[in-house]
Amino acid sequence: MSGINSSWDSFREALDSDDEFEGDELLQQIATNRDAIVFLIDYSPSTMTATTDTNEPFVKAVFSCVQTVMLRRIMDRTNDLIGVVVYGTEGHENALDYENITVVESLNPLDLPAIQKIKPLAKNVSDGGVDLQQQFGTPSTNYELANAFLVCNNLFEQIEKKALKRKRVFLVTDEDNPHGLDGPRRSAALTRARDLQERGVELHLFSVSKGDEPFNFEAFYAELIGIDKYNHVATRKSFEELLAVILKRESPRRATFSTLLRLFGDDARLHIGVKGYPLALARNRPGHTWACAMGGENKPVQGRATYICSDTNQPLMEEDMKGYLLYGGEKIVFTNEEQKAIKSTGDIGFTLIGFKPEDKYKLYYHFTSPYFLYPDEEAYKGSTRTFAALHKQMLEMKKIAVCSFKQRAQATPYLCVLKPQAEMLDENGRQVMPPGFVVVRIPYKDDVRPTPKQAEEPIRASDDFIDACLPVIEDLTIRRGYRPDSFTNPALAKFYHVLAEIALGEELEEQPKDNTIPKYRGMHRRVGEKIKVFNSKISEAVEAEASTTTASTSSSASRSTSRTISRSTSNASDASNLQELWEAGRLDRATVAQLKEFLTQAGITPERRKADLLRQVQQYFQAGSSSAT
């Protein structure tokens, strides 16, 4: 949620004033359905110097970042638009015919990223500065930054009819004062930058230091970008660092749902429009699509499923199919209309039930991924104002809100907690954590897992073992704690790497790194001797026990008998538990392993599917109850 950089200070001022708060600034900062990005790249002589991690021009690293961003957008199947503008070129190729400004031909105008558009861009990445000079000529400092902003604005104007929720310009440069003391050129650049911002375009600066000289943000760009330094990211001349910050900043923050928060009753004046953002998502491989390769063209195949009756071998219509719920050993049949009616109970959105002290909130409630709530002024005017007032009071009174939440029409409603989250800033005044509500689903009793049975007398290690193991644990502990974002999924990285090679039709030089592999050499250097000491302690204890313990036939037979009695007791206990579940109509809660073991002990060959196993166990208990009667 780092993309939301508004402070609650402006909202608190709105609470104390009589003016109507429109919330237009907030809406520009919340990323929604479609995004448009223009990379504005500086092609000055200083950018032709080598990077710190590769011996190639730094501007080449910028084009590599753009190529990586476009490939990610294609693989993620987003509808975002991307364009590239280069200023400081020898020639000029742009619709406004401005000197020393070139719009990459394959991305003119702004359009969806595609492989056909990436391949011409990839030529700028290969063979260092040779191809760059062939396309853009000799780097020049005779450019007008104001004209570069006008070209970017022209690209956005060409797509005005398309539904865009966010427009951004990523400016990458190492020149902290492009026009020096030239007042007119400097003033023109500032004016054009403000024109872009007034049209809803965000300016993001990715500055690069020249050698040992730090980038002076105050010289020019503080006035151009604004006081909010969130839109400025300082990097070194390192491809890896630049790629990391650009990928982090370009990642869209898309709302999972947009709904209402009902405070009291059905009065529309007491509704707040909110948007929910996922705080944690598992990134998996994208789903594949079947394609038909005929006539030299790949066309997607549309699948169609047909249900066949096993008795008549005839296709089934939708009205012929019904669902059932297994209850008390009987099938309770429901029609499709009845199932929809059951699921459609309750109002869509959040419905406030009441408030609780914040100490009633427990960490173990997190059995599903939480959401983050932020106000949505588009849904209801005044939502931001009311949302901020509720958030402020709950923080001051140390309260949490208990709500009923239903995300979609056919979704099952559930109870959740709205926990207020205060805004956090770093030492530079940059927002680290935005203000809002964290939505945590409250588990029902059935969702809480039973506590596993512990051993009656847990085995405790001796003090010698503990003293020998502690140094190993201390030296292998991550000092700053485990950070999941520091480790990439190697399987996904390999998958996307192979997919990119197939799409581009060439072998990529750089292979994905697997940073999940432990650093064995460093670990051995740090704790190798300490592990040897710990292993020697174990060896001494094993040898001492072997020398004092004698194995006898009687003791072995005794232990074997004990194990047999234990297994019999365990089987009887499992049978008793399954019978209790069957009598309560909750036999489906038993695991497949329990069902199979019970049937095997009863002399019944178990089936493969759980539904068949449940049927076999039910028949067994029903037969037993009938014979008892």
Side-chain angles (χ1 to χ4, degrees):
M1 292 302 300
S2 58
I4 302 176
N5 60 334
S6 300
S7 174
W8 281 119
D9 294 339
S10 59
F11 298 148
R12 292 193 179 111
E13 293 174 0
L15 293 176
D16 300 331
S17 65
D18 295 331
D19 300 332
E20 192 66 32
F21 183 75
E22 297 294 339
D24 293 334
E25 295 83 4
L26 173 66
L27 295 177
Q28 294 176 6
Q29 294 158 354
I30 299 182
T32 50
N33 297 329
R34 209 172 193 189
D35 198 354
I37 299 177
V38 173
F39 286 89
L40 185 56
I41 302 174
D42 183 3
Y43 185 66
S44 60
S46 58
T47 60
M48 298 298 294
T49 58
T51 60
T52 57
D53 51 2
T54 61
N55 192 22
E56 295 172 336
F58 176 73
V59 69
K60 173 191 171 182
V62 180
F63 280 106
S64 298
C65 294
V66 176
Q67 178 183 348
T68 303
V69 170
M70 296 181 66
L71 280 172
R72 280 184 43 148
R73 291 298 175 92
I74 293 176
M75 295 174 185
D76 291 342
R77 300 181 181 181
T78 61
N79 294 324
D80 300 333
L81 311 178
I82 294 179
V84 178
V85 178
V86 185
Y87 67 92
T89 59
E90 182 178 357
H92 61 282
E93 295 180 13
N94 57 85
L96 302 180
D97 204 26
Y98 286 131
E99 296 292 334
N100 307 113
I101 299 175
T102 300
V103 178
V104 176
E105 182 179 359
S106 61
L107 298 173
N108 185 16
L110 280 172
D111 202 353
L112 295 173
I115 295 300
Q116 293 79 4
K117 300 178 183 296
I118 294 180
K119 286 185 177 181
L121 186 66
K123 295 180 180 179
N124 300 326
V125 182
S126 61
D127 300 332
V130 177
D131 286 341
L132 290 175
Q133 293 192 16
Q134 286 180 356
Q135 182 171 0
F136 302 121
T138 304
S140 172
T141 58
N142 187 26
Y143 59 83
E144 297 286 344
L145 190 57
N147 293 341
F149 289 141
L150 286 174
V151 172
C152 294
N153 183 60
N154 178 259
L155 292 179
F156 288 121
E157 287 180 347
Q158 296 180 40
I159 56 171
E160 284 292 334
K161 295 182 180 180
K162 297 184 179 181
L164 291 177
K165 295 297 184 180
R166 197 177 188 188
K167 297 177 287 188
R168 292 182 289 176
V169 172
F170 284 2
L171 172 59
V172 186
T173 180
D174 63 352
E175 181 57 60
D176 53 13
N177 195 3
H179 296 310
L181 300 177
D182 193 335
R185 297 170 69 189
R186 176 189 178 97
S187 178
L190 294 174
T191 301
R192 299 309 178 192
R194 295 191 187 99
D195 291 342
L196 279 176
Q197 292 170 338
E198 290 177 359
R199 291 183 174 90
V201 180
E202 302 175 26
L203 294 178
H204 293 256
L205 173 65
F206 297 88
S207 64
V208 183
S209 301
K210 293 181 180 179
D212 297 332
E213 299 180 8
F215 188 89
N216 187 3
F217 178 73
E218 305 295 334
F220 175 73
Y221 286 100
E223 188 175 358
L224 185 144
I225 299 296
I227 301 177
D228 185 9
K229 293 187 178 181
Y230 167 79
N231 291 341
H232 172 224
V233 178
T235 61
R236 298 175 294 105
K237 281 198 172 181
S238 168
F239 167 71
E240 294 292 341
E241 183 180 3
L242 180 66
L243 177 62
V245 296
I246 287 182
L247 290 179
K248 183 177 181 180
R249 190 58 59 87
E250 67 86 26
S251 299
R253 301 294 191 265
R254 306 190 191 278
T256 302
F257 57 84
S258 179
T259 185
L260 297 177
L261 171 58
R262 299 174 180 83
L263 296 182
F264 303 102
D266 296 328
D267 192 346
R269 293 174 297 177
L270 297 177
H271 291 176
I272 300 177
V274 292
K275 286 190 176 182
Y277 297 83
L279 290 180
L281 285 176
R283 187 175 180 87
N284 301 315
R285 294 183 181 181
H288 65 276
T289 302
W290 293 100
C292 179
M294 295 182 63
E297 184 178 359
N298 294 331
K299 295 183 179 180
V301 177
Q302 295 182 354
R304 185 177 60 184
T306 302
Y307 293 93
I308 304 297
C309 179
S310 58
D311 296 332
T312 63
N313 203 27
Q314 296 295 322
L316 291 174
M317 305 298 292
E318 184 177 357
E319 57 271 12
D320 298 331
M321 293 182 290
K322 297 180 181 180
Y324 70 89
L325 177 66
L326 194 63
Y327 184 80
E330 297 183 7
K331 296 180 179 180
I332 311 301
V333 181
F334 295 93
T335 63
N336 293 337
E337 290 74 14
E338 290 173 338
Q339 294 182 39
K340 292 179 180 179
I342 293 173
K343 293 182 179 180
S344 61
T345 57
D347 297 325
I348 300 176
F350 293 90
T351 303
L352 180 63
I353 298 176
F355 299 94
K356 290 280 188 179
E358 64 177 9
D359 58 359
K360 296 295 184 181
Y361 167 78
K362 306 300 180 182
L363 285 178
Y364 58 78
Y365 288 169
H366 286 267
F367 78 109
T368 59
S369 298
Y371 292 100
F372 183 81
L373 280 192
Y374 214 68
D376 181 14
E377 195 74 15
E378 288 182 332
Y380 272 86
K381 190 174 181 180
S383 295
T384 305
R385 187 172 186 169
T386 311
F387 189 95
L390 178 64
H391 180 270
K392 177 183 178 182
Q393 290 299 317
M394 289 178 62
L395 277 177
E396 292 178 353
M397 301 177 66
K398 297 182 179 181
K399 296 287 187 179
I400 59 173
V402 180
C403 300
S404 172
F405 177 49
K406 184 176 182 178
Q407 186 170 338
R408 297 178 303 273
Q410 298 299 323
T412 303
Y414 58 83
L415 297 178
C416 63
V417 165
L418 301 188
K419 186 177 184 298
Q421 173 179 286
E423 183 182 34
M424 292 181 59
L425 305 176
D426 59 12
E427 60 276 5
N428 299 321
R430 184 180 300 173
Q431 187 184 81
V432 179
M433 189 175 294
F437 288 106
V438 178
V439 182
V440 181
R441 180 173 176 177
I442 302 177
Y444 290 104
K445 185 177 180 180
D446 295 343
D447 297 322
V448 179
R449 298 174 182 175
T451 305
K453 295 182 180 179
Q454 304 294 332
E456 296 181 359
E457 296 182 359
I459 301 175
R460 177 179 174 82
S462 64
D463 293 339
D464 292 340
F465 285 156
I466 295 175
D467 294 339
C469 189
L470 276 178
V472 178
I473 298 175
E474 291 175 352
D475 289 346
L476 293 181
T477 301
I478 302 175
R479 302 303 178 189
R480 298 182 179 179
Y482 170 69
R483 297 178 59 89
D485 54 355
S486 301
F487 301 90
T488 58
N489 187 329
L492 280 179
K494 180 66 175 178
F495 170 77
Y496 284 117
H497 181 81
V498 174
L499 193 61
E501 289 183 340
I502 296 174
L504 295 176
E506 60 184 24
E507 185 176 352
L508 301 180
E509 297 179 359
E510 188 170 351
Q511 298 293 325
K513 298 179 181 179
D514 186 358
N515 51 11
T516 62
I517 299 177
K519 299 178 180 179
Y520 294 108
R521 291 185 179 179
M523 295 168 61
H524 178 73
R525 184 172 59 254
R526 187 180 301 176
V527 297
E529 295 299 325
K530 298 175 182 178
I531 291 178
K532 291 181 180 179
V533 173
F534 178 72
N535 289 338
S536 64
K537 295 280 186 183
I538 296 179
S539 300
E540 293 174 0
V542 171
E543 292 175 0
E545 183 180 358
S547 61
T548 57
T549 304
T550 58
S552 62
T553 306
S554 59
S555 62
S556 300
S558 176
R559 287 194 298 269
S560 176
T561 304
S562 176
R563 285 195 297 267
T564 304
I565 295 174
S566 176
R567 282 197 300 267
S568 301
T569 306
S570 176
N571 294 335
S573 177
D574 290 342
S576 177
N577 292 337
L578 288 180
Q579 187 167 6
E580 291 177 0
L581 290 175
W582 174 72
E583 292 174 353
R586 297 181 177 181
L587 187 58
D588 56 343
R589 296 194 176 184
T591 64
V592 173
Q594 290 176 328
L595 296 173
K596 286 185 176 181
E597 184 177 358
F598 172 78
L599 291 172
T600 303
Q601 295 294 330
I604 302 174
T605 303
E607 299 286 349
R608 296 181 58 184
R609 297 190 309 162
K610 185 175 181 179
D612 297 330
L613 295 173
L614 292 173
R615 176 179 52 79
Q616 288 180 299
V617 175
Q618 287 173 2
Q619 292 176 353
Y620 176 84
F621 286 128
Q622 288 174 354
S625 61
S626 300
S627 60
T629 304

